[in-house]
């Protein structure tokens, strides 16, 4: 069985959506005839490249998002460190970041159009044998910049539905929250980050002023995009905001929970609310999970 090395930054599926994607992909690859090997660059890109050179996989599959690599450009040098090795790159994020940021767009175009360098991924996108994107927006950005046609592989939900009957899950969730059986439950699902709009959701809850309405924020705060200290401060800020708006008792913060438990919460809720400040698109695993649970 040929080996495919799945390269990611810090391999922490509970704190990073890209790492969770890699974990899920590794689980399913054997059924397709591939032996997966997860390689983290957390201890350095050169060290990871040395391991890849020794193990000599048939394919090196790099999973790229700036936050997954601590907004460091070093992973972009990987193709140069693995000459002759087949590299495939999945762009989980694309079209908004550059390193260094001070270079004007006209300067980037001079090196991107000939395929010498990419402002976001370094050598990864120009030198990869194949590029994979998860949505048409990223595909259009890749084509405009690099004159390449990536393969479009849409995301699936990041939490799959359990087989739990919806009625049982509804009663279970309301009992767990200490709510009356006919209470209306809203759910926000995903990592809690300033761009996810939870502050606005708390404001909306305060405006509605309904005794039968309860919000469940189902997701952790600590992620690669929001380190522990910042995450703790942000959680305190949101909890204080809820108290100031008079809705603290109407909000439950679950923190990071196992997928099966999150599925039960989604099964038991009435409405999913995802007030992302930049809008919600098909690349949101949380949106797809809400749809999968018929919310």
């Amino acid at each position: 069985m040929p080996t495919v090395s799945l390269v990611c930054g810090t391999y922490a599926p509970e704190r990073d959506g890209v790492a969770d994607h890699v974990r899920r992909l590794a689980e399913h690859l054997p059924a397709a005839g591939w032996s997966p090997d997860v390689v983290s660059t957390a201890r350095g890109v050169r060290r990871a490249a040395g391991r890849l050179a020794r193990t000599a996989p048939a394919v090196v599959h790099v999973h790229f998002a700036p936050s997954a690599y601590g907004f460091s450009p070093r992973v972009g040098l990987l193709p140069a460190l693995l000459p002759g090795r087949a590299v495939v790159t999945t762009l989980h994020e694309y079209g908004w970041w550059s390193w260094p940021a001070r270079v004007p767009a006209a300067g980037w175009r001079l090196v991107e159009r000939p395929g010498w360098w990419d402002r976001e991924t370094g050598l990864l996108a120009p030198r990869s044998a194949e590029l994979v994107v998860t949505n048409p927006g990223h595909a259009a950005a890749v084509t405009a910049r690099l004159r390449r046609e990536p393969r479009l592989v849409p995301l699936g939900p990041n939490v799959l539905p359990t087989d739990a009957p919806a009625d049982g899950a509804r009663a279970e969730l309301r009992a767990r929250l200490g709510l009356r059986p006919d209470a209306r439950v809203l759910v926000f699902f995903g990592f809690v980050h300033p761009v996810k709009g939870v502050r606005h959701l708390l404001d909306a809850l305060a405006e509605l002023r309904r005794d039968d309405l309860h919000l469940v924020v189902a997701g952790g705060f600590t992620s690669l995009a929001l380190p522990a200290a910042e995450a703790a401060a942000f959680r305190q800020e949101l909890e204080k905001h809820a108290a100031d708006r008079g809705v603290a008792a109407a909000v439950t913060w679950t923190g990071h929970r196992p997928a099966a438990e999150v599925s039960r919460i989604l099964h038991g809720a009435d409405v999913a609310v995802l007030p992302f400040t930049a809008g919600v698109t098909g690349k949101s695993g949380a949106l797809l999970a809400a749809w999968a649970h018929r919310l």
Side-chain angles (χ1 to χ4, degrees):
M1 186 180 293
T3 298
V4 54
S5 290
L6 306 175
V7 179
C8 59
T10 300
Y11 185 60
E14 73 284 357
R15 293 191 290 118
D16 177 52
V18 173
D20 185 59
H21 177 95
V22 169
R23 176 185 64 82
R24 293 167 183 269
L25 183 58
E27 289 175 353
H28 289 278
L29 279 170
W34 288 87
S35 175
D37 176 37
V38 177
V39 177
S40 169
T41 64
R43 298 181 67 184
V45 172
R46 287 188 178 276
R47 186 186 292 265
R51 173 178 167 178
L52 292 167
R54 290 191 300 273
T55 57
V59 176
V60 176
H61 186 177
V62 182
H63 291 263
F64 179 83
S67 62
Y69 298 92
F71 294 93
S72 167
R74 292 186 181 89
V75 69
L77 299 175
L78 199 57
L81 299 174
L82 297 170
R85 186 67 53 198
V87 176
V88 172
T89 300
T90 292
L91 302 171
H92 293 268
E93 294 288 347
Y94 196 76
W96 63 274
W97 185 69
S98 63
W99 191 94
R102 62 180 177 273
V103 176
W108 286 121
R109 286 194 289 270
L110 291 175
V111 294
E112 286 173 339
R113 288 180 176 173
W116 297 339
W117 192 262
D118 173 45
R119 71 188 76 181
E120 299 192 46
T121 70
L123 295 174
L124 279 176
R127 293 197 185 179
S128 288
E130 292 284 355
L131 290 176
V132 179
V133 295
T134 64
N135 62 89
H138 290 171
V142 169
T143 301
R145 286 184 186 175
L146 305 176
R147 300 180 181 179
R148 295 191 58 175
E149 293 290 339
R151 293 177 182 262
L152 176 60
V153 181
L155 289 175
N158 51 17
V159 170
L160 294 173
T162 63
D163 295 329
D167 289 344
R170 286 175 57 83
E172 175 189 304
L173 180 60
R174 282 150 187 76
R176 171 181 169 183
L177 298 174
L179 304 175
R180 65 196 200 202
D182 63 344
R184 304 288 286 176
V185 177
L186 311 177
V187 61
F188 168 93
F189 165 57
F191 287 112
V192 186
H193 186 277
V195 302
K196 298 294 184 69
V198 175
R199 171 184 285 272
H200 305 309
L201 183 50
L202 297 174
D203 288 338
L205 193 65
E207 291 294 330
L208 290 171
R209 300 287 180 185
R210 283 178 48 171
D211 293 337
D212 66 337
L213 201 59
H214 194 88
L215 169 65
V216 178
V217 179
F221 282 73
T222 301
S223 66
L224 295 188
L226 200 67
E230 295 176 37
F234 185 53
R235 177 165 183 164
Q236 290 177 0
E237 176 187 327
L238 287 183
E239 289 179 342
K240 182 178 184 302
H241 189 66
D244 291 344
R245 295 305 309 267
V247 295
V251 182
T252 296
W253 312 86
T254 71
H256 179 80
R257 306 306 305 162
E261 184 177 340
V262 172
S263 179
R264 294 286 293 186
I265 293 172
L266 295 176
H267 272 308
D270 294 294
V271 179
V273 190
L274 303 173
F276 298 173
T277 57
V280 182
T281 70
K283 76 182 187 70
S284 168
L287 175 65
L288 298 175
W291 281 345
H293 287 80
R294 301 182 180 276
L295 282 177

